[in-house]
Amino acid sequence: MLVSARRVVRAPLDSADVTSGTKTTQLPAQYSPGEVETRRYEGWVEAGYFQAEAESDAPPFSVVIPPPNVTGSLHIGHALDHTLIDALIRRRRMQGYNTLWLPGMDHAGIATQNVVERELAKDGLSRHDLGREAFVERVWQWKAESGGKILGQMRRLGDSVDWSRERFTMDAGLSRAVQTIFKRLYEDGLIYRAQRIINWCPRCLTALSDIEVEHTEDDGELVSIRYGDGEDQIVVATTRAETMLGDTAVAVHPDDPRYARLVGREIKLPLTGRSIPVVADPHVDPDFGTGAVKVTPAHDPDDFEIGRRHDLPSLVVMDERGVITAPGPFEGLDRFEARPAVVAALRADSRIVAERRPYVHAVGHCSRCGTTVEPRLSLQWFVKVEPLAKAAGDAVRDGRVKIYPQEMSARYFDWVDDMHDWCISRQLWWGHRIPVWYGPDGQVVCVGPDDEVPAGPGWEQDSDVLDTWFSSALWPFSTLGWPDDTPDLRAFYPTSVLVTGYDILFFWVARMMLFGLYAMAAAGPDESVPFRQVALHGLVRDQYGKKMSKTRGNTVDPLDWIDRFGADATRFTLARGATPGGDVAVSEDWVAGARNFCNKLWNAVRFAQLNGAITSRGVPPADQLTAPDRWVLSRLRAVTQEVDALFEQFEFAKVSDALYHFAWDEVCDWYLELAKAALYGPDEAAANATRQVLGEVLDRLLRLIHPLLPFVTEELWTALTGGESVVIARWPGQVTDGAPGALPQPPADPAAEAEIEALMRLVTEVRRFRSDQGLRPGQQVPARLAGLDATVLADHDGRIRTLSRLSEPGPGFAPTASVHAEGVTIELDTAASLDVAAERKRLAKDLAAAQADIEAVGRKLANASFVERAPAEIVAKNRERLAAAQAEAAQLTERIAALPT
RNA sequence: GGGCGCAUAGCUCAGCGGUAGAGCACUCGCCUUACAAGCGAGGGGUCACUGGUUCGAACCCAGUUGCGCCCACCA
């Protein structure tokens, strides 16, 4: 970073000079987040501010954290999610709600098991070397270590979670919830066990649900093979030639005349020499390829269905690792070795017809490890989703659950309305064991948490565990004590809002809907939903809008930013980009900008302190206030209302923007400068009134920003007001839903707003002149203000002079130039001769702008249709604009002519 | 193959029917007494293209092109 070499370090102002209305501590000239943040966070936790109450008269506001995986650490996406949730929670807390943000973590079955297995592999061990019990023990150790790290990161971010209610999906209580709902679903016939083709990962050696499979367009090869001999030939095509070893039929469309005579007959399968039947099945598309399909019931989901319809045998030719088991020359080959080997053998046998065609097609990959998924016939547990999904769709359709942004609900419906049964068994060791026992005589017993476990010789528990998302789906109520009727469950369910990324809409959000509505059905339609609102955000991307990835090397560690710029700056950067459902682009430069904003607030409060701002006495009567006081209060009122409305819509980017601009552009750039006139002026009453307004405005501003910037606002607010903590200070905005009352709003004052806005424009105009003329910023320029009385600026002579650095005209005042704006003419004595070229350039530019306006607006008004059909208000506005532009142009022309040559 | 979305200043994005905006970046001038992590002033855009609706279109409609995302059991 470049630092001005000429910078002079100034001695701090002597605080003894300062008259202060309240007892406060003196602030240094620059904000250092690192020093403040840990101290503040621990203080908040100790004070118990984040703790929710099960019994309370205040209305509840509850959010469950999207539980991060115990694996690894929080990434920048978590930081975004937590920032948004924390902002919502903090605002509600200030509004007087009984707020609960429930923290916790997910055991993340397959992901965590993979990580621990990788650790073991470093020592040359596999989980089988340890055995199930020891392996699971090892994972628990890992969890303790990794989980602690995550909790530490949440503290650094400032998450105002209720630590006394922290949960983990494998806790005893949550495991009990899992077991309870499993048994209930089982008894309702909504969980069943069946032999099906499922997605199988040959590396992870487990079944996967449909959404754990990611499709990519991969290059493959479409091979056409001739089946049968002599007259009875059929050509079929395949991208997975090796599966032909397991073919048990060829299928054609029932109405296809080409094959009608073959249906019902047997033909010979190449290589194996087995005879397989030709069957007619309507699923076959006669227009695709040759209109004939090889049928491999054990290795393809479509074929499995065809096989079922025609009572075909399922011939398994591949084991769980994707190795060919069919006896013969290919036995022992991996599927990707077997494929070319089979093709080569077919070629040698002249069975390949036509060319082998390159073929791009969608191939499924394991979302955890990227391995190509192999459809596999196996015995698994499933949730029958149809009735559950119907209820989940209806809850959003009839508005009991609202999704933000609304466009996202279309995606939700697409999925929920057309969902296949959910395969929930996983051949893993880390997770909730399926609570089913098998007896020696084929008994199957589903065991609830309070049931006796069947014992005796030959009884064994199912060795599989449940899909991680099964327990995640219970999170909004399992964490609150369900299945027991606990005070927490009564107080905080349904939760108020769910905030999460759109990427887990299906994985998690939809499944919470499925299970929440089912488990809590007794509470009634309105009370059984897991949450009333779903606020979706996007992914965090880099400054070029690119997805972050380790291979791209553009990932960001939130802790790195927190260390260097502070948690507040990190949070603000994320919040400022968070438009509903939209991705968030971030860069280090922008975080630095957010850090600067924190420093700006810091110095605003520092200024207030140095000038004896008074807080907690409210706003003095209007007749004691200066116009800038009335203006800033009126603006504060408007911004407060705006921020409130935006929060309700989860418009975090706009909330951040509104506060940023109000704080920086209006309060710091203008109000503080305007306040100086009153503070340093002779009128003691006016100075005191301004001290109160200054205190009031900053007090409220800090409260409004606190949800986004918790640390710096806490440090500043306590310093400014001497109050206990802004965390529990009252929210200055409106209050909804019957929470305790709001602070009274400062008065609106349109007249003051008009005056100050005119003043801003006029001052800016003078500054522009000075800049163009190369006048030093500090230099006082004698000037005469004419026409002030006739404008809205009548009472602002002194302010205009102060902000523009214009002194009173002295003897020998000889104006060399003039500035015109807002109906005021300011004649200036620039002492040095006028830079005529610069002035001419400036005036010419203004004239060009005025003329462009005259032309554009003139053309518009010349259009009869416009004058007749546009709203009168619009027409009038354009007339005014034309007149103003014409007057401006005339005046500019005159002034240009008057310039010395 | 189906569905959805996006193309606005160098970059990331807001605006969604009546004078083109923000942050960052850029240029010039400033140690102006809260802040140089600052202050003041400024440059920069035929709002992807083509048609249509309208008095008026960045904004609505249709098409074109180029991107992105989600879903999917056509071998």
Side-chain angles (χ1 to χ4, degrees), chain A residues 528-594:
Chain A
S528 56
V529 295
F531 24 75
R532 302 198 186 281
Q533 295 177 306
V534 178
L536 295 169
H537 61 247
L539 274 37
V540 180
R541 295 170 177 270
D542 73 8
Q543 61 191 307
Y544 304 111
K546 299 271 185 245
K547 214 167 172 171
M548 288 190 176
S549 71
K550 282 180 188 144
T551 49
R552 220 191 288 266
N554 61 349
T555 53
V556 167
D557 177 1
L559 278 189
D560 176 46
W561 280 3
I562 292 172
D563 287 340
R564 288 161 56 216
F565 301 104
D568 285 334
T570 304
R571 291 168 59 118
F572 197 73
T573 304
L574 293 165
R576 207 171 179 191
T579 170
D583 291 346
V584 181
V586 295
S587 93
E588 200 169 303
D589 285 347
W590 306 349
V591 189

Side-chain angles (χ1 to χ4, degrees), chain A residues 558-803:
Chain A
L559 278 189
D560 176 46
W561 280 3
I562 292 172
D563 287 340
R564 288 161 56 216
F565 301 104
D568 285 334
T570 304
R571 291 168 59 118
F572 197 73
T573 304
L574 293 165
R576 207 171 179 191
T579 170
D583 291 346
V584 181
V586 295
S587 93
E588 200 169 303
D589 285 347
W590 306 349
V591 189
R595 184 261 329 257
N596 296 353
F597 179 52
C598 295
N599 196 234
K600 194 69 183 172
L601 293 174
W602 183 268
N603 274 286
V605 172
R606 185 160 176 268
F607 170 87
Q609 282 199 325
L610 294 171
N611 289 287
I614 299 163
T615 57
S616 317
R617 273 193 227 157
V619 176
D623 58 7
Q624 292 177 22
L625 297 178
T626 65
D629 291 334
R630 287 181 278 115
W631 161 74
V632 77
L633 288 169
S634 187
R635 288 293 303 138
L636 175 64
R637 175 196 176 92
V639 169
T640 301
Q641 283 172 356
E642 190 188 349
V643 163
D644 258 327
L646 291 170
F647 257 122
E648 300 291 335
Q649 295 299 312
F650 308 106
E651 293 276 8
F652 297 98
K654 288 180 185 169
V655 168
S656 310
D657 219 48
L659 289 168
Y660 179 91
H661 284 114
F662 176 64
W664 200 316
D665 299 350
E666 300 193 88
V667 174
C668 290
D669 285 353
W670 289 99
Y671 180 67
L672 297 189
E673 295 304 321
L674 287 163
K676 285 176 184 172
L679 292 167
Y680 306 153
D683 183 344
E684 197 47 40
N688 268 322
T690 292
R691 281 195 190 95
Q692 277 188 56
V693 173
L694 184 59
E696 185 73 15
V697 168
L698 289 178
D699 176 350
R700 288 180 183 237
L701 180 60
L702 290 170
R703 295 185 204 216
L704 286 171
I705 304 181
H706 176 255
L708 296 168
L709 305 177
F711 293 108
V712 72
T713 51
E714 175 73 333
E715 193 72 3
L716 293 175
W717 190 83
T718 52
L720 178 73
T721 67
E724 180 186 330
S725 170
V726 71
V727 176
I728 51 166
R730 187 172 286 186
W731 179 252
Q734 301 159 347
V735 167
T736 50
D737 303 344
L743 294 177
Q745 292 301 299
D749 194 331
E753 289 197 33
E755 284 176 41
I756 300 302
E757 278 160 20
L759 179 140
M760 288 172 169
R761 286 190 296 265
L762 178 59
V763 169
T764 298
E765 195 57 31
V766 178
R767 286 172 175 171
R768 190 157 81 99
F769 169 83
R770 296 180 56 120
S771 183
D772 288 345
Q773 285 297 315
L775 296 170
R776 304 191 78 75
Q779 183 186 339
Q780 292 288 336
V781 175
R784 184 160 54 210
L785 276 56
L788 210 56
D789 291 350
T791 71
V792 74
L793 288 164
D795 298 324
H796 296 273
D797 181 288
R799 295 191 183 98
I800 294 165
R801 287 179 183 281
T802 305
L803 294 176

Side-chain angles (χ1 to χ4, degrees), chain A residues 773-854:
Chain A
Q773 285 297 315
L775 296 170
R776 304 191 78 75
Q779 183 186 339
Q780 292 288 336
V781 175
R784 184 160 54 210
L785 276 56
L788 210 56
D789 291 350
T791 71
V792 74
L793 288 164
D795 298 324
H796 296 273
D797 181 288
R799 295 191 183 98
I800 294 165
R801 287 179 183 281
T802 305
L803 294 176
S804 321
R805 310 227 168 228
L806 302 176
S807 56
E808 293 290 345
F813 175 73
T816 53
S818 59
V819 171
H820 303 257
E822 301 298 311
V824 181
T825 297
I826 301 178
E827 293 171 294
L828 305 103
D829 179 355
T830 58
S833 63
L834 189 71
D835 181 341
V836 179
E839 181 65 356
R840 177 168 283 127
K841 201 171 143 197
R842 191 169 80 87
L843 295 178
K845 194 181 131 202
D846 288 355
L847 181 59
Q851 283 168 339
D853 242 28
I854 291 167

